[in-house]
Amino acid sequence: MESGKNVGSTSSGMSRREFSVGLGGACALLAVGGGIRVAPAQACVRPPGGQDENRLISSCIRCERCIGICPNGALAPAHLEDGVLGVRMPVANFDAGWCDWCADANGGVPLCVETCPTQALQLAEGATPENVIMGKAVIIEDWCLAYSKYNGCRFCYDACPYEAITLDEYERPVVDLDLCNGCGACQAACVSMEEGSIAEGATTRAIVVVPESSIEEKGGR
């Protein structure tokens, strides 16, 4: 026997240590079993072309090209709490930026869709920012400065490119759900989580984009 030959290696070239670590991780997942969700507990806000959840889950190879190419940083990889099947799939990251369909960066053609190698992100013919609904914006009034402090804050109103936010008689923002496409401009502009502005108990910005199916659960307006 040749000294040291093939010691610590598997036939595939993977080291035994790497194999053991991987096997240990798999066993850990099996051990916690019911503590980890296989599928997301609720719908996620997806990038343009990712609204068919079944196609996205089956076709996405988790390459994260769409995330890396987004010029506004509006996408992020999903985490384990979003379900095992959804790990590393693209979800909206509207605290960092919003989706303008790459109007400046690529002439209005979403780079995330263009760069997807498997067509997991796919737009129908005639798709536009107005008719592709990523989600809907909801206002959490208890955390909104315009509602809780009556200070006339209107950053979300000023940021909305689709005139989907109006002001009521008290100068408070109101979302028109029929016009909102979930682009996230309002969420990106919200200042409710900045130092000195955070309302007691707030865990997110006061206006957030959620899947259409989640609007009632959020209790927003």
Side-chain angles (χ1 to χ4, degrees):
M1 181 178 69
E2 296 181 34
S3 176
K5 185 176 181 180
N6 293 328
V7 173
S9 303
T10 66
S11 59
S12 65
M14 178 187 294
S15 72
R16 287 179 180 172
R17 180 179 181 279
E18 290 171 330
F19 178 78
S20 298
V21 170
L23 181 61
C27 291
L29 288 176
L30 291 173
V32 296
I36 294 181
R37 294 192 295 269
V38 174
Q42 60 182 12
C44 298
V45 179
R46 302 296 189 185
Q51 282 61 56
D52 185 333
E53 191 76 6
N54 290 331
R55 184 183 69 218
L56 187 66
I57 290 176
S58 63
S59 301
C60 178
I61 58 174
R62 284 69 170 173
C63 66
E64 300 187 20
R65 292 185 188 179
C66 56
I67 296 168
I69 204 169
C70 179
N72 296 332
L75 298 177
H79 300 297
L80 188 60
E81 58 265 28
D82 296 310
V84 172
L85 291 180
V87 171
R88 293 178 58 199
M89 287 173 56
V91 295
N93 183 30
F94 293 144
D95 283 354
W98 65 286
C99 178
D100 66 351
W101 273 52
C102 299
D104 294 327
N106 199 38
V109 179
L111 285 165
C112 56
V113 176
E114 195 170 75
T115 197
C116 179
T118 64
Q119 293 190 319
L121 301 179
Q122 188 178 98
L123 291 171
E125 185 176 353
T128 67
E130 290 79 13
N131 62 30
V132 175
I133 307 302
M134 296 172 62
K136 297 291 183 179
V138 295
I139 297 172
I140 306 171
E141 296 179 5
D142 289 345
W143 302 344
C144 176
L145 300 175
Y147 282 87
S148 63
K149 297 187 178 181
Y150 298 96
N151 69 351
C153 181
R154 49 181 279 172
F155 283 100
C156 58
Y157 168 80
D158 291 333
C160 180
Y162 300 104
E163 298 184 352
I165 300 178
T166 58
L167 299 176
D168 67 10
E169 63 271 29
Y170 302 107
E171 296 296 302
R172 301 176 303 189
V174 178
V175 177
D176 184 335
L177 295 178
D178 292 332
L179 296 178
C180 178
N181 72 345
C183 73
C186 56
Q187 182 175 332
C190 180
V191 299
S192 65
M193 293 296 285
E194 293 185 5
E195 186 176 356
S197 299
I198 305 175
E200 183 177 355
T203 56
T204 67
R205 299 189 185 193
I207 185 166
V208 293
V209 176
V210 301
E212 289 185 271
S213 59
S214 301
I215 292 176
E216 292 185 1
E217 297 175 12
K218 288 286 184 180
R221 176 173 176 175

